[in-house]
Every structure is written in structure tokens, then in C-alpha cells.
Amino acid sequence: MLSGGVGGARFLQGLLHAQGAAGTDTEITVVANTADDLWLHGLKICPDLDTVMYTLGEGIDHERGWGRRDETWSVKEELAAYGGEAPWFGLGDRDIATHLMRTRMLDAGYPLTQVTAALCERWLTPGFGDRLRLLPMSDDRVETHIAVADDDAPSGRRVVHFQEYWVGMHAAVPAEAVIVVGQEKATPAPGVLEAIETADVVLLPPSNPVVSVGTILGVPGIREALRATTAPVVGLSPIVGGAHVRGMAEQLLGAIGVEVSAAAVAEHYGARSRDGVLDGWLVDTADAELVPRIEAAGIACRAVPLMMTDVDATAAMARAALELAAPAPPTRPAG
Ligand code: GDP
Ligand code: CA
């Protein structure tokens, strides 16, 4: 599975729930977006990796959907009192421990893949053993930056880190361009291409198509691996009824010239039979009228409820995705 943060992590919970006891011999590799990563106060912060890790390790704050539960904010408050950088960023005291551990291991020379595996020994190994593997998309530094209008700048625009655009500016100003710094020189993290090559099915959860799935697909080699794998590739629309459910996908789709609709996102990913990456796509029942348009683009499509309101609803989405990947054989007529 290719994953962003909250959307990807919630979907994974549903997938694991759907597998239940029958899925205890299923191996899941999650390739997470790292283009949201940032350095703050000398600490390396990986929001999407941590959201997946905390969610599956039962450490997440369920209300917010990100960060540690039972969190306190003393360090953030003290830093703000000094006028420290990025006071808008949600840096919780418990969360800081993760960033301290990660930064120390990176400083010692370990690549992010190994650092992530070490952090997952606390969060994932106790519950999942080695059935669930969390990989960064790349060990290289890749960062999404957003260009926004700024009348005070000589060029008329200013480029900010994605986190500043989203967390600091609440994506309240139009995004003029999405720039993924370092992407073309990045290589997939060890294990990523092999996981895609040897998978039985590849799932694209309802993650942000621009700054989560888009940045993963942009790492040279990953798109090619998806096109080459023998596994079916099935995605779920993050756009329902012409709007993102939460987040800022609408603003960013606008910046890359893609209409905000479940069909346009499917066409943007494209059919594997026509230079794209998708074999199947699920849209919400609210978008059922888009199914013929998506099938005309060469992508098998079904409309099912796609709101991740609770783990049962999300598990049903996961079952529908697996069913689209491997349709059950037709039942024989009785007699
Ligand atoms: P982030 O990294 O935390 O922004 O999380 P992701 O990229 O994994 O997912 C964010 C995207 O998930 C948003 O852009 C929404 O469009 C989508 N999303 C969130 N909740 C739901 C839901 O309940 N159903 C569907 N279909 N999409 C959702
Ligand atoms: Ca993210």
C-alpha cells in the first residue's frame, strides 16, 4: 500500500480489521510519503510515517487524527515564548521523544528506512510481528514546497514548505504551484520496488493525490514498478461528491490543473493499459454517475460507500477494494 498520513492510516486500520484472524498470514508493506518531512529546532519530523506508526500502534490521538494521545505541549509553549521558529507547528512533548530518537539515529549515519524500522519495534512489532512493514518512500531528502501569491515579494510570489502552507496558513490562500524539491534525484528506499514487484495486490488508499500518493509516484522508479507489477493496482477516491473529505486536496488539485472530482483523479492516475498506474478505482455512492466515465478511461470502477466513519465502514471499503482487485468467481447457478 502507498500511504499518506491520516487517510492512509485510517484505511490501513480498516484493511487490518477486514482481514481479521484470517489475515494473520497476510504480509502488508506500507510505503509512506516522506515529502511532508521537515527539520524544526534541529529535529527531523516525518508526519506521515508517524501518523501510520502511531495509528496502528494505538498511540494516536483519535480526535486530531495525528500526534500522540495524552499529549502535552510544554516544549512548544516554551519555544514560542522564545520566539522560536514555526510556532504554528504541532510539536507535542511526547511526540518530541520520537523526533529526538529519529534525529539521533540519523546523525549516527543510519538511513531513514532503518531508523523507521527501529522506531516501529516499539509501535508495530508487538502487535504485528513482521507481518506489517513500514517503509519510507525514499531515504533521500524530498520536500514539497508550495508557491503562494505574495504582493510584497519582487516576483509576486513566495515559496513555503508544505507544512507552513497547510498547518501555518491553513491552506487558506490559493496554491499557485507545487514544487517537490529533490524528487528527481531521489531513489526508492530499499525494499520498496521489491514489495511492489512481488505483491499480490497494490492498494492506493484515499490519500491526497498530490502531496501523498503524487509524491510517492514521483520518486523515479516507483511509477515504473507499479506499471510493471503482475499485481492488480486498485485505488479509492479521496474526493467524494466533488470535495475532499478533510485536508487540502482541493487547493492542490487546482494548482496542478486537475478538476476536483473522483473521475478526474482517476484519469490523472490513468489506466495501466494506457500509460497510467490503475487497474481499478472505487468511488463513493454519491459519485455513482461517474462510473461510466472512469470505465471509459480503461479503469474498472465501482461505487460503494467511501466515508471512513468507523472501522467497520472502513473495513467494508477495504473488502470492496480487494474484491475489485480479484473478483470472486461467479457463483454457479443452483442445480
Ligand atoms: P494526510 O497525509 O494526513 O493529509 O493524509 P492522506 O494523504 O493519507 O489522506 C488525506 C486525504 O484523505 C484527504 O485529501 C481526503 O481527501 C481523504 N479523506 C479523508 N477522510 C476520508 C474519508 O473518510 N473518505 C474518503 N474517501 N477520503 C477521505
Ligand atoms: Ca501528509
Side-chain angles (χ1 to χ4, degrees):
M1 193 178 112
L2 312 186
S3 178
V6 178
R10 291 220 169 127
F11 178 74
L12 250 172
Q13 274 187 313
L15 178 65
L16 290 162
H17 191 68
Q19 304 259 293
T24 46
D25 55 355
T26 308
E27 289 173 24
I28 300 177
T29 303
V30 182
V31 177
N33 172 51
T34 52
D36 288 7
D37 295 8
L38 72 166
W39 286 88
L40 220 50
H41 309 291
L43 299 178
K44 172 76 164 177
I45 303 171
C46 302
D48 288 357
L49 283 171
D50 288 351
T51 297
V52 171
M53 193 172 79
Y54 292 157
T55 301
L56 299 179
E58 315 271 348
I60 201 82
D61 180 290
H62 288 287
E63 295 267 292
R64 284 196 308 274
W66 57 268
R68 293 280 284 109
R69 64 175 150 79
D70 306 322
E71 188 58 285
T72 54
W73 307 90
S74 303
V75 175
K76 181 178 195 268
E77 286 160 20
E78 290 294 313
L79 287 167
Y82 281 114
E85 61 176 332
W88 37 263
F89 194 78
L91 206 51
D93 300 335
R94 288 179 184 275
D95 200 23
I96 286 172
T98 303
H99 310 320
L100 284 166
M101 291 300 292
R102 172 185 292 123
T103 306
R104 184 162 163 73
M105 287 187 268
L106 288 171
D107 280 347
Y110 293 101
L112 185 60
T113 305
Q114 285 183 34
V115 174
T116 303
L119 297 174
C120 286
E121 277 178 32
R122 172 178 175 197
W123 294 106
L124 301 186
T125 309
F128 301 101
D130 53 10
R131 291 194 295 122
L132 185 64
R133 217 163 35 125
L134 177 60
L135 301 177
M137 67 187 196
S138 176
D139 283 336
D140 301 318
R141 184 168 175 170
V142 177
E143 268 180 28
T144 303
H145 292 192
I146 307 290
V148 296
D150 183 353
D151 294 339
D152 296 335
S155 63
R157 66 186 207 175
R158 185 161 69 98
V159 176
V160 298
H161 190 287
F162 166 74
Q163 295 295 345
E164 182 170 359
Y165 179 70
W166 170 226
V167 186
M169 305 167 83
H170 307 291
V173 295
E176 298 196 339
V178 178
I179 304 132
V180 189
V181 182
Q183 186 161 53
E184 66 285 350
K185 281 189 303 199
T187 52
V192 168
L193 297 183
E194 294 78 357
I196 295 171
E197 265 162 32
T198 60
D200 298 309
V201 54
V202 179
L203 296 176
L204 272 52
S207 283
N208 190 303
V210 185
V211 292
S212 294
V213 177
T215 44
I216 300 173
L217 293 178
V219 175
I222 294 188
R223 169 182 289 277
E224 293 72 12
L226 280 182
R227 291 195 37 74
T229 181
T230 52
V233 181
V234 171
L236 298 93
S237 178
I239 301 296
V240 172
H244 58 225
V245 182
R246 52 187 285 164
M248 61 359 258
E250 290 177 31
Q251 290 89 318
L252 300 182
L253 284 168
I256 64 163
V258 174
E259 170 204 330
V260 183
S261 84
V265 173
E267 291 162 352
H268 171 65
Y269 289 146
R272 282 219 294 174
S273 55
R274 306 179 191 170
D275 286 344
V277 297
L278 286 179
D279 296 305
W281 186 242
L282 292 178
V283 299
D284 188 79
T285 43
D287 293 314
E289 82 278 4
L290 297 174
V291 171
R293 172 173 159 192
I294 295 159
E295 297 216 303
I299 301 163
C301 185
R302 273 185 59 204
V304 297
L306 286 191
M307 297 303 278
M308 299 189 283
T309 43
D310 57 45
V311 77
D312 288 323
T314 312
M317 288 165 55
R319 277 191 292 269
L322 293 173
E323 166 85 23
L324 192 61
T331 46
R332 286 213 202 149

